[in-house]
Amino acid sequence: MTERQAPPAPGRGASPQRPARKDGLAAFAFLSPSIVTFVIFVLAPAAGVLYLSFYDWNLLSDGTFVGLANFERLFTDERLLRVYGSTVYMALAILAVNVVLGLLLAVLLETRMPRWLRGVFRLSFLFPFVISAAAVALIWRFLLNKDLGLVNYLLGTLGVDRIDWLGSSVWAPISIIIVNSWKTIGFSILVYIAGLQAIPHQLKEAAIVDGANAWTRFWRVTFPLLSPTIFFLVVINTINSFQIFAEPRVLTQGGPGDASRTIVEYLYDRAFGDFDLGYASAIGITFMLVLIVLTAIQFRFSRRWTFYE
């Protein structure tokens, strides 16, 4: 009969910290490609933009150090304030459409409906998500043409006068909202469907047994369990909607005036239209800070309405 050997005491033989150290090295090895990518394509360009924001540089001559002069210009640029206003208007509208209408369409797709109708919905809202924003904008530029567009032709058959979708200061931002929402709502629908399918059916069946109607089941069961998904989409859609560029660039060139111009388009024009890279960098730095503050506020207030199992 052999005697059972006691495990090695701490400090003798194998160290109890060695497995943890090996796990840490393995985790770092797996994460290192993402870390290197983040440093090269995010952190280093951000540091370069911050460096340029302190210089007056036009790409052709040597830069001149101007300190905080580019940031001081931000407070006297009245056009920048108007562009921020149009950006906020369009971004909030796109956010509302993607979060609210996306949820309604996802719930509709999860209910029983004819198979052909389900296919029409999926093709209409999910297909635009996989094609480029510039291609979507070019298609809608033809559809929204005041004289030859299909949209005005269909409205004309209903007795509605032609609408100057791309040339009116009222309708141009609405056109951008419609086109961008149609392009991006497919992502929200996909995420909502995944969240709805993750909710246990037993909870809904228990609510039915207790006599809850459809609205009560949605408000008391579905919405709380779906709240982390809704919060994720609010954060992602906020960041994306504030950065729209292709649609206003192709459809309206930011016009008429600055009615449909976004802050990213204004930054692009200052950098590569006026070759004022220092001022454009200052706009980019402040815009990044605005997005960081918005995201921090969303995380701060999310604790009041999100529910985690």
Side-chain angles (χ1 to χ4, degrees):
M1 183 177 180
T2 59
E3 295 183 357
R4 181 176 298 175
Q5 295 182 348
R12 298 179 180 178
S15 170
Q17 296 180 351
R18 185 168 298 174
R21 186 178 304 170
K22 291 177 63 177
D23 291 344
L25 291 174
F28 181 77
F30 281 110
L31 289 174
S32 57
S34 299
I35 294 174
V36 172
T37 303
F38 176 78
V39 171
I40 294 176
F41 294 103
V42 178
L43 199 58
V49 170
L50 179 62
Y51 175 79
L52 284 179
S53 65
F54 298 110
Y55 280 81
D56 180 13
W57 187 44
N58 61 5
L59 278 175
L60 301 177
S61 60
D62 295 334
T64 304
F65 182 77
V66 295
L68 297 175
N70 287 324
F71 292 95
E72 293 175 356
R73 287 177 58 188
L74 297 173
F75 296 98
T76 59
D77 190 348
E78 296 181 358
R79 191 181 176 195
L80 178 65
L81 185 61
R82 291 199 302 271
V83 173
Y84 259 110
S86 61
T87 303
V88 170
Y89 166 58
M90 291 186 287
L92 292 181
I94 293 169
L95 173 66
V97 170
N98 277 334
V99 174
V100 178
L101 185 60
L103 176 59
L104 295 177
L105 291 174
V107 172
L108 188 63
L109 285 172
E110 281 297 288
T111 58
R112 294 180 180 178
M113 65 170 59
R115 190 172 180 177
W116 67 269
L117 187 57
R118 190 190 301 269
V120 170
F121 269 97
R122 288 179 175 174
L123 182 65
S124 301
F125 295 107
L126 302 184
F127 178 69
F129 176 63
V130 300
I131 58 179
S132 71
V136 170
L138 284 173
I139 294 171
W140 278 94
R141 187 177 179 179
F142 169 73
L143 294 176
L144 295 176
N145 184 280
K146 180 182 177 182
D147 299 319
L148 304 175
L150 180 63
V151 175
N152 273 347
Y153 171 77
L154 294 176
L155 291 176
T157 60
L158 301 175
V160 179
D161 294 334
R162 289 179 179 177
I163 298 175
D164 191 3
W165 292 97
L166 306 179
S168 164
S169 59
V170 174
W171 288 104
I174 295 175
S175 301
I176 303 297
I177 294 168
I178 293 172
V179 175
N180 186 270
S181 299
W182 184 70
K183 168 73 176 67
T184 57
I185 199 171
F187 174 75
S188 299
I189 293 173
L190 283 176
V191 176
Y192 273 132
I193 289 176
L196 289 170
Q197 292 180 348
I199 297 175
H201 291 285
Q202 296 86 344
L203 296 177
K204 297 179 182 177
E205 292 171 356
I208 294 173
V209 172
D210 290 340
N213 57 30
W215 171 250
T216 304
R217 291 198 303 274
F218 174 81
W219 187 246
R220 297 293 184 183
V221 178
T222 303
F223 185 82
L225 295 176
L226 200 62
S227 58
T229 304
I230 298 173
F231 173 62
F232 168 76
L233 288 174
V234 168
V235 173
I236 294 298
N237 280 302
T238 299
I239 296 173
N240 290 336
S241 60
F242 270 85
Q243 299 182 77
I244 55 175
F245 174 77
E247 292 86 351
R249 197 66 182 175
V250 174
L251 287 172
T252 63
Q253 294 285 318
D258 290 324
S260 62
R261 195 177 306 280
T262 64
I263 191 65
V264 176
E265 192 180 5
Y266 185 69
L267 185 157
Y268 178 85
D269 289 337
R270 299 286 75 73
F272 303 105
D274 299 340
F275 294 102
D276 192 355
L277 270 79
Y279 185 52
S281 300
I283 295 174
I285 292 295
T286 55
F287 184 53
M288 181 185 68
L289 293 177
V290 168
L291 291 181
I292 291 175
V293 170
L294 282 177
T295 305
I297 292 173
Q298 289 171 338
F299 270 89
R300 176 66 179 84
F301 288 98
S302 68
R303 302 170 187 171
R304 299 184 179 182
W305 61 275
T306 54
F307 173 78
Y308 295 94
E309 291 182 284

